[in-house]
């Protein structure tokens, strides 16, 4: 336990030196902020891959984080550290006496770059068509470096899902910040979910691929449930506030949120299937604008409170 506390203290030093919040640091090493918090509080151990990513972001040695290179197996998942070390003979774990040479780091650090490129490639090709070699080429690095940060495909997929969840949540928060009228906020959320731009289409392509993976993977399935719980909760809160403001009818907010988010998912999948390259492809009523119109019509018909004549 003492060594675990010492590791947490060193990680705190890295976070302080980075000059960012713990949440932002969690985003950069691509783990859930609650996991980082539990590890810093001593109720959860850092995994070998997480320590590798922390070392990369902080430009320190894993051995220093652990107190000594020899202490690695005692305080981390020994099997994971062995696998990571075996995969990265070009980037061995250095002792504190061998400082890391200065290497230009991508914005946000190498782990975040790997995840971003993974998400881009998933959107273009689908998860199972993306090889580690493809990701390495996109990042201008080696496959060994990819395995150093993410020893297995499962861990890389989980990191990609978490990053997509975090980005989606951040975009919603930024777009609706300062919006007080619940009706305006709900329409902003609908606009954000309508795949008009290339970025929105790419995000939806990733979600569709992850939905299929969630049916096969327990880990991704749990993340899928967590994300939709948060997303439906956001929509329900807006509807509930709209009822209080007199903007919406007195409806069951949770039920209305479930219906609206399901409608968004169904319409978005049709738009992506019939609107390649941003065109309606000759199928009337299936484009992004048709989706947006259908969603706003649903809100007007089922939620918006009637106005007095």
């Amino acid at each position: 336990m003492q060594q675990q506390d010492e590791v947490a203290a060193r990680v705190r030093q890295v976070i302080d030196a980075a000059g960012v919040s713990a949440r932002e640091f969690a985003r950069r090493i691509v783990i859930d902020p609650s996991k980082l918090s539990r590890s810093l509080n001593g109720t959860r151990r850092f995994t070998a891959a997480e320590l590798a990513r922390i070392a990369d972001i902080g430009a320190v040695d894993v051995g220093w984080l652990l107190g000594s290179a020899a202490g690695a197996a005692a305080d981390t998942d020994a099997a994971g550290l062995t696998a990571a070390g075996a995969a990265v003979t070009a980037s061995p774990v250095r002792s504190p006496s061998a400082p890391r040479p200065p290497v230009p780091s991508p914005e946000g650090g190498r782990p975040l770059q790997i995840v971003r490129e993974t998400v881009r490639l998933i959107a273009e090709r689908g998860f199972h068509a993306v090889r580690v070699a493809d990701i390495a080429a996109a990042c201008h690095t080696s496959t060994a470096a990819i395995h150093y940060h993410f020893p297995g495909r499962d861990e890389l997929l989980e990191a990609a899902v978490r990053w997509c969840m975090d980005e989606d949540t951040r975009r919603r928060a930024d777009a609706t910040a300062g919006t007080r009228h619940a009706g305006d906020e709900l329409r902003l959320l609908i606009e954000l979910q309508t795949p008009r731009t290339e970025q929105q289409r790419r995000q939806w392509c990733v979600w569709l691929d992850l939905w299929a993976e969630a049916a096969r993977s327990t880990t991704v399935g749990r993340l899928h449930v967590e994300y939709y719980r948060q997303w439906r909760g956001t929509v329900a809160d807006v509807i509930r506030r709209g009822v209080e403001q007199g903007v919406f009818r007195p409806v069951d907010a949770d039920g209305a949120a479930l219906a609206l988010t399901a409608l968004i998912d169904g319409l978005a999948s049709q738009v992506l299937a019939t609107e390649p390259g941003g065109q309606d492809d000759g199928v009337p009523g299936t484009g992004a604008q048709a989706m947006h119109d259908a969603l706003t019509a649903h809100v007007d018909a089922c939620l918006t409170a009637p106005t007095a004549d």
Side-chain angles (χ1 to χ4, degrees), residues 99-178:
R100 173 179 295 182
V103 177
S105 180
E107 182 183 356
R110 180 69 72 187
L112 193 55
Q113 182 200 27
I114 291 170
V115 170
R116 284 172 172 161
E117 290 300 323
T118 299
V119 169
R120 182 181 65 80
L121 291 171
I122 290 174
E124 292 177 357
R125 308 178 190 179
F127 177 72
H128 290 287
V130 177
R131 303 172 303 160
V132 173
D134 299 328
I135 300 168
C139 295
H140 305 288
T141 189
S142 65
T143 56
I146 305 297
H147 287 302
Y148 180 61
H149 295 294
F150 302 97
R153 282 175 66 90
D154 287 347
E155 186 176 18
L156 185 53
L157 177 60
E158 179 181 352
V161 176
R162 288 194 180 281
W163 185 81
C164 286
M165 290 169 57
D166 189 57
E167 285 296 290
D168 201 36
T169 302
R170 181 186 60 78
R171 277 193 293 271
R172 289 201 303 266
D174 290 346
T176 59

Side-chain angles (χ1 to χ4, degrees), residues 195-196 201 270-283 286-288:
R196 298 182 190 275
R201 288 181 62 82
Q270 292 182 44
V271 171
L272 293 170
T274 58
E275 196 187 24
Q279 302 300 318
D280 281 4
D281 203 29
V283 183
T286 57

Side-chain angles (χ1 to χ4, degrees), residues 1 29 52 85 93 103 119 158 171 226 245 276 287:
M1 176 62 78
I29 63 173
V93 174
V103 177
V119 169
E158 179 181 352
R171 277 193 293 271
E226 177 187 339
Q245 292 175 355

Side-chain angles (χ1 to χ4, degrees), residues 24-37:
E24 170 61 17
F25 194 81
R27 188 185 73 86
R28 292 186 182 186
I29 63 173
V30 205
I31 68 169
D32 187 82
S34 64
K35 283 187 176 181
L36 177 61
S37 178

Side-chain angles (χ1 to χ4, degrees), residues 116 119-124 163-164 171 195 197-209 272:
R116 284 172 172 161
V119 169
R120 182 181 65 80
L121 291 171
I122 290 174
E124 292 177 357
W163 185 81
C164 286
R171 277 193 293 271
T197 67
E198 185 59 33
Q199 185 276 327
Q200 287 171 317
R201 288 181 62 82
R202 185 166 57 246
Q203 186 80 358
W204 268 109
C205 285
V206 173
W207 283 125
L208 291 177
D209 210 63
L272 293 170

Side-chain angles (χ1 to χ4, degrees), residues 4-303:
Q4 189 173 331
D5 290 342
E6 291 174 354
V7 171
R10 290 186 177 91
V11 172
R12 285 195 186 90
Q13 290 181 43
V14 173
I15 295 173
D16 291 342
V20 297
S21 67
R23 183 174 186 81
E24 170 61 17
F25 194 81
R27 188 185 73 86
R28 292 186 182 186
I29 63 173
V30 205
I31 68 169
D32 187 82
S34 64
K35 283 187 176 181
L36 177 61
S37 178
R38 292 199 304 273
S39 296
L40 291 175
N41 292 333
T43 57
R44 173 187 177 273
R45 291 188 176 188
F46 287 104
T47 68
E50 288 165 1
L51 288 171
R53 298 199 290 272
I54 291 167
D56 182 78
I57 292 292
V60 299
D61 295 317
V62 173
W64 175 79
L65 287 173
L66 293 166
S68 70
D75 210 78
T76 63
D77 180 342
L81 188 58
T82 301
V88 67
T89 54
S91 303
V93 174
R94 287 171 287 270
S95 68
S97 60
R100 173 179 295 182
V103 177
S105 180
E107 182 183 356
R110 180 69 72 187
L112 193 55
Q113 182 200 27
I114 291 170
V115 170
R116 284 172 172 161
E117 290 300 323
T118 299
V119 169
R120 182 181 65 80
L121 291 171
I122 290 174
E124 292 177 357
R125 308 178 190 179
F127 177 72
H128 290 287
V130 177
R131 303 172 303 160
V132 173
D134 299 328
I135 300 168
C139 295
H140 305 288
T141 189
S142 65
T143 56
I146 305 297
H147 287 302
Y148 180 61
H149 295 294
F150 302 97
R153 282 175 66 90
D154 287 347
E155 186 176 18
L156 185 53
L157 177 60
E158 179 181 352
V161 176
R162 288 194 180 281
W163 185 81
C164 286
M165 290 169 57
D166 189 57
E167 285 296 290
D168 201 36
T169 302
R170 181 186 60 78
R171 277 193 293 271
R172 289 201 303 266
D174 290 346
T176 59
T179 305
R180 299 185 179 278
H181 189 279
D184 292 342
E185 184 169 351
L186 189 60
R187 284 170 172 77
L188 276 172
L189 292 177
I190 288 173
E191 185 64 38
L192 287 173
Q193 297 300 314
T194 304
R196 298 182 190 275
T197 67
E198 185 59 33
Q199 185 276 327
Q200 287 171 317
R201 288 181 62 82
R202 185 166 57 246
Q203 186 80 358
W204 268 109
C205 285
V206 173
W207 283 125
L208 291 177
D209 210 63
L210 295 179
W211 287 349
E213 196 63 26
R216 305 181 185 95
S217 167
T218 302
T219 298
V220 177
R222 283 197 300 266
L223 291 173
H224 185 266
V225 170
E226 177 187 339
Y227 170 77
Y228 266 88
R229 178 183 56 78
Q230 294 175 354
W231 166 227
R232 283 194 293 265
T234 296
V235 175
D237 288 343
V238 174
I239 294 173
R240 201 171 286 115
R241 192 163 64 254
V243 172
E244 293 172 355
Q245 292 175 355
V247 174
F248 297 142
R249 306 166 192 253
V251 297
D252 171 19
D254 292 324
L258 177 62
L260 180 57
T261 54
L263 185 59
I264 289 172
D265 291 344
L267 289 173
S269 63
Q270 292 182 44
V271 171
L272 293 170
T274 58
E275 196 187 24
Q279 302 300 318
D280 281 4
D281 203 29
V283 183
T286 57
Q289 186 58 47
M291 170 183 170
H292 184 271
D293 292 345
L295 290 170
T296 53
H298 172 82
V299 170
D300 289 340
C302 301
L303 292 176

